[in-house]
Coordinates of all heavy atoms in Angstrom, one line a residue:
F1 N 128.9 104.7 38.8 CA 129.9 104.0 37.9 C 129.3 104.1 36.5 O 130.1 104.4 35.5 CB 130.0 102.6 38.4 CG 131.1 101.8 37.7 CD1 132.4 101.8 38.1 CD2 130.8 101.1 36.5 CE1 133.4 101.1 37.4 CE2 131.8 100.4 35.8 CZ 133.1 100.4 36.2
K2 N 128.0 103.8 36.4 CA 127.4 103.8 35.0 C 127.5 105.2 34.4 O 127.7 105.4 33.2 CB 126.0 103.2 35.0 CG 125.4 103.2 33.6 CD 124.3 102.2 33.6 CE 123.9 102.1 32.1 NZ 123.1 101.0 31.9
K3 N 127.3 106.2 35.2 CA 127.3 107.6 34.7 C 128.7 108.0 34.2 O 128.8 108.6 33.2 CB 126.9 108.6 35.8 CG 126.7 110.0 35.4 CD 126.3 110.9 36.5 CE 126.1 112.3 36.1 NZ 125.7 113.2 37.1
V4 N 129.7 107.6 34.9 CA 131.1 107.9 34.5 C 131.6 107.1 33.4 O 132.3 107.6 32.5 CB 132.0 107.7 35.8 CG1 133.5 108.0 35.4 CG2 131.6 108.8 36.8
T5 N 131.3 105.7 33.4 CA 131.9 104.9 32.5 C 130.9 104.5 31.3 O 131.4 104.0 30.2 CB 132.3 103.5 33.1 OG1 131.1 102.8 33.5 CG2 133.3 103.8 34.2
G6 N 129.7 104.7 31.5 CA 128.8 104.3 30.4 C 128.4 102.8 30.4 O 127.7 102.4 29.5
T7 N 128.9 102.1 31.4 CA 128.6 100.7 31.5 C 128.3 100.3 33.0 O 128.7 101.1 33.8 CB 129.7 99.9 30.9 OG1 129.3 98.5 30.7 CG2 131.0 99.9 31.6
T8 N 127.8 99.1 33.2 CA 127.6 98.7 34.5 C 128.9 98.1 35.1 O 129.8 97.7 34.3 CB 126.5 97.6 34.6 OG1 127.0 96.4 33.9 CG2 125.2 98.1 34.0
I9 N 128.9 98.0 36.4 CA 130.1 97.4 37.0 C 130.3 95.9 36.5 O 131.4 95.5 36.2 CB 130.0 97.4 38.5 CG1 130.0 98.9 39.1 CG2 131.1 96.6 39.2 CD1 129.7 99.1 40.5
Y10 N 129.2 95.2 36.4 CA 129.2 93.8 36.0 C 129.7 93.7 34.6 O 130.6 92.9 34.3 CB 127.8 93.1 36.1 CG 127.9 91.8 35.5 CD1 128.5 90.7 36.2 CD2 127.4 91.5 34.3 CE1 128.6 89.4 35.7 CE2 127.4 90.2 33.8 CZ 128.0 89.2 34.4 OH 128.1 87.9 33.9
Q11 N 129.3 94.5 33.6 CA 129.7 94.5 32.2 C 131.3 94.9 32.2 O 131.9 94.3 31.4 CB 128.9 95.4 31.4 CG 127.5 94.9 31.1 CD 127.5 93.6 30.4 OE1 128.3 93.4 29.5 NE2 126.6 92.7 30.8
Y12 N 131.6 95.8 33.0 CA 133.0 96.2 33.0 C 133.9 95.0 33.5 O 134.9 94.7 32.9 CB 133.2 97.4 33.9 CG 134.7 97.8 34.0 CD1 135.2 98.7 33.0 CD2 135.5 97.4 35.1 CE1 136.6 99.1 33.1 CE2 136.8 97.8 35.2 CZ 137.3 98.7 34.2 OH 138.6 99.0 34.3
Y13 N 133.5 94.4 34.6 CA 134.2 93.2 35.1 C 134.2 92.1 34.1 O 135.3 91.5 33.8 CB 133.5 92.8 36.4 CG 134.2 91.5 36.9 CD1 135.3 91.5 37.6 CD2 133.5 90.3 36.7 CE1 135.9 90.4 38.1 CE2 134.1 89.1 37.3 CZ 135.2 89.1 37.9 OH 135.8 88.0 38.4
L14 N 133.1 91.8 33.5 CA 133.0 90.7 32.5 C 134.0 91.0 31.3 O 134.6 90.1 30.8 CB 131.5 90.6 32.0 CG 131.3 89.5 30.9 CD1 131.7 88.1 31.5 CD2 129.9 89.5 30.4
H15 N 134.0 92.3 30.9 CA 134.9 92.6 29.8 C 136.4 92.4 30.1 O 137.1 91.8 29.3 CB 134.7 94.1 29.4 CG 135.7 94.6 28.4 ND1 135.6 94.3 27.1 CD2 136.7 95.4 28.5 CE1 136.6 94.9 26.4 NE2 137.3 95.5 27.3
K16 N 136.8 92.8 31.3 CA 138.1 92.6 31.8 C 138.4 91.1 32.0 O 139.5 90.6 31.6 CB 138.4 93.4 33.1 CG 138.4 94.8 32.9 CD 139.5 95.3 32.0 CE 139.6 96.8 31.8 NZ 140.7 97.1 31.0
Q17 N 137.4 90.4 32.4 CA 137.6 88.9 32.7 C 137.8 88.2 31.3 O 138.7 87.4 31.2 CB 136.4 88.4 33.4 CG 136.4 87.0 33.8 CD 135.2 86.6 34.5 OE1 134.0 86.8 34.0 NE2 135.3 86.0 35.7
M18 N 137.0 88.5 30.3 CA 137.1 87.9 29.0 C 138.3 88.3 28.2 O 138.9 87.5 27.6 CB 135.8 88.2 28.2 CG 134.6 87.5 28.7 SD 134.7 85.7 28.6 CE 134.5 85.3 30.4
E19 N 138.7 89.6 28.4 CA 139.9 90.0 27.8 C 141.2 89.2 28.4 O 142.0 88.8 27.6 CB 140.1 91.5 28.1 CG 141.0 92.3 27.3 CD 140.9 93.8 27.6 OE1 141.3 94.2 28.7 OE2 140.3 94.6 26.8
L20 N 141.2 89.0 29.7 CA 142.3 88.3 30.3 C 142.2 86.8 29.8 O 143.3 86.3 29.5 CB 142.2 88.4 31.8 CG 143.2 87.5 32.6 CD1 144.7 87.9 32.2 CD2 143.0 87.6 34.0
A21 N 141.1 86.2 29.8 CA 140.9 84.9 29.3 C 141.4 84.7 27.9 O 142.2 83.8 27.6 CB 139.4 84.4 29.4
Q22 N 141.1 85.7 27.0 CA 141.5 85.6 25.6 C 143.0 85.7 25.5 O 143.7 84.9 24.8 CB 140.9 86.8 24.9 CG 141.2 86.7 23.4 CD 140.6 87.8 22.6 OE1 140.5 89.0 23.1 NE2 140.1 87.6 21.4
Q23 N 143.7 86.5 26.3 CA 145.1 86.7 26.3 C 145.8 85.4 26.8 O 146.8 84.9 26.2 CB 145.5 87.8 27.2 CG 145.2 89.2 26.7 CD 145.5 90.3 27.7 OE1 145.9 90.0 28.8 NE2 145.1 91.5 27.4
L24 N 145.2 84.8 27.8 CA 145.9 83.6 28.4 C 145.7 82.4 27.4 O 146.6 81.6 27.2 CB 145.2 83.2 29.7 CG 145.5 84.1 30.9 CD1 144.6 83.8 32.1 CD2 147.0 84.1 31.2
L25 N 144.6 82.3 26.8 CA 144.3 81.3 25.7 C 145.3 81.4 24.5 O 145.9 80.5 24.0 CB 142.9 81.2 25.3 CG 141.9 80.7 26.3 CD1 140.5 81.0 25.8 CD2 142.0 79.2 26.5
N26 N 145.5 82.7 24.1 CA 146.4 83.0 23.0 C 147.9 82.7 23.4 O 148.7 82.4 22.5 CB 146.3 84.5 22.6 CG 145.0 84.7 21.8 OD1 144.5 83.8 21.2 ND2 144.5 85.9 21.8
K27 N 148.2 82.7 24.7 CA 149.5 82.3 25.1 C 149.7 80.8 25.3 O 150.8 80.3 25.7 CB 149.9 83.0 26.5 CG 150.0 84.5 26.3 CD 150.4 85.1 27.7 CE 150.6 86.6 27.5 NZ 150.8 87.3 28.8
G28 N 148.6 80.1 25.0 CA 148.8 78.6 25.1 C 148.3 77.9 26.3 O 148.5 76.7 26.5
H29 N 147.7 78.6 27.3 CA 147.2 78.0 28.5 C 146.0 77.2 28.2 O 145.2 77.5 27.2 CB 146.8 79.1 29.5 CG 147.9 79.9 30.1 ND1 148.5 79.6 31.2 CD2 148.5 81.0 29.6 CE1 149.5 80.5 31.5 NE2 149.5 81.4 30.5
S30 N 145.8 76.1 29.0 CA 144.6 75.2 28.7 C 143.3 76.0 29.1 O 143.3 76.9 30.0 CB 144.8 74.0 29.5 OG 144.5 74.2 30.9
V31 N 142.2 75.5 28.5 CA 140.9 76.1 28.8 C 140.6 75.9 30.3 O 140.1 76.9 31.0 CB 139.8 75.5 27.9 CG1 138.4 76.0 28.3 CG2 140.1 75.8 26.4
N32 N 140.9 74.8 30.8 CA 140.6 74.5 32.3 C 141.4 75.5 33.2 O 140.8 76.1 34.1 CB 141.0 73.1 32.6 CG 140.6 72.7 34.0 OD1 139.4 72.9 34.3 ND2 141.5 72.2 34.7
D33 N 142.7 75.6 32.9 CA 143.5 76.6 33.7 C 143.0 78.0 33.6 O 142.9 78.8 34.6 CB 145.0 76.6 33.2 CG 145.7 75.3 33.7 OD1 145.1 74.6 34.6 OD2 146.8 75.0 33.2
V34 N 142.6 78.4 32.4 CA 142.1 79.8 32.2 C 140.8 80.0 32.9 O 140.6 81.0 33.6 CB 141.9 80.1 30.7 CG1 141.2 81.4 30.4 CG2 143.3 80.1 29.9
A35 N 139.9 79.0 32.9 CA 138.7 79.1 33.6 C 138.9 79.4 35.0 O 138.3 80.3 35.6 CB 137.8 77.9 33.3
L36 N 139.8 78.6 35.6 CA 140.1 78.8 37.0 C 140.8 80.1 37.3 O 140.4 80.8 38.3 CB 140.9 77.6 37.6 CG 140.2 76.3 37.5 CD1 141.3 75.2 37.9 CD2 139.0 76.2 38.5
K37 N 141.7 80.5 36.5 CA 142.4 81.8 36.7 C 141.6 83.0 36.6 O 141.9 84.0 37.2 CB 143.6 81.9 35.7 CG 144.7 81.0 36.0 CD 145.9 81.1 35.0 CE 146.9 80.1 35.3 NZ 148.1 80.2 34.5
V38 N 140.5 83.0 35.8 CA 139.7 84.2 35.7 C 138.4 84.1 36.5 O 137.6 84.9 36.5 CB 139.3 84.4 34.2 CG1 140.5 84.7 33.3 CG2 138.4 83.3 33.6
G39 N 138.4 83.0 37.4 CA 137.3 83.0 38.4 C 136.1 82.1 38.3 O 135.2 82.2 39.0
Y40 N 136.2 81.2 37.3 CA 135.1 80.3 37.2 C 135.4 78.9 37.9 O 136.5 78.5 37.8 CB 134.8 80.0 35.6 CG 134.2 81.1 35.0 CD1 135.0 82.2 34.5 CD2 132.8 81.3 34.9 CE1 134.3 83.3 33.9 CE2 132.2 82.4 34.3 CZ 133.0 83.4 33.8 OH 132.4 84.5 33.2
S41 N 134.4 78.3 38.5 CA 134.6 77.1 39.2 C 134.4 75.9 38.3 O 134.9 74.8 38.6 CB 133.7 77.0 40.4 OG 132.4 77.1 40.1
T42 N 133.7 76.1 37.1 CA 133.5 75.0 36.2 C 133.9 75.5 34.8 O 133.7 76.6 34.4 CB 132.1 74.5 36.2 OG1 131.2 75.5 35.6 CG2 131.6 74.1 37.5
V43 N 134.5 74.6 34.0 CA 134.9 74.9 32.7 C 133.7 75.1 31.8 O 133.7 75.9 30.9 CB 135.8 73.7 32.1 CG1 136.1 74.0 30.6 CG2 137.0 73.6 32.9
G44 N 132.6 74.4 32.0 CA 131.4 74.5 31.3 C 130.8 75.9 31.4 O 130.4 76.4 30.4
H45 N 130.7 76.5 32.6 CA 130.2 77.8 32.7 C 131.1 78.8 32.1 O 130.6 79.7 31.4 CB 130.0 78.2 34.2 CG 129.3 79.4 34.4 ND1 129.6 80.3 35.3 CD2 128.1 79.9 33.8 CE1 128.8 81.3 35.3 NE2 127.8 81.1 34.4
F46 N 132.4 78.6 32.2 CA 133.3 79.6 31.5 C 133.2 79.5 30.0 O 133.1 80.5 29.4 CB 134.8 79.3 31.9 CG 135.8 79.9 31.0 CD1 136.1 81.2 31.1 CD2 136.5 79.1 30.1 CE1 137.0 81.9 30.3 CE2 137.4 79.8 29.3 CZ 137.7 81.1 29.4

């Protein structure tokens, strides 16, 4: 994966996760809802 993409699987996943979170927040979703939708169990960690 790293050889082909130049990044780790975790960094790729984190990028996609944060990209989605940003889009949802920009659409007006609450921080709590976004945290849960992108896979975090606590708002603080998100």
Side-chain angles (χ1 to χ4, degrees):
F1 189 90
K2 186 158 187 169
K3 185 176 181 181
V4 171
T5 66
T7 191
T8 66
I9 293 171
Y10 175 74
Q11 287 298 322
Y12 179 83
Y13 174 77
L14 180 64
H15 173 75
K16 292 297 183 182
Q17 187 181 49
M18 291 295 120
E19 202 173 67
L20 176 58
Q22 184 180 39
Q23 290 171 4
L24 293 170
L25 289 167
N26 285 333
K27 289 181 180 178
H29 292 265
S30 74
V31 174
N32 189 53
D33 286 346
V34 172
L36 294 173
K37 285 180 183 180
V38 298
Y40 288 85
S41 58
T42 67
V43 175
H45 189 225
F46 166 71

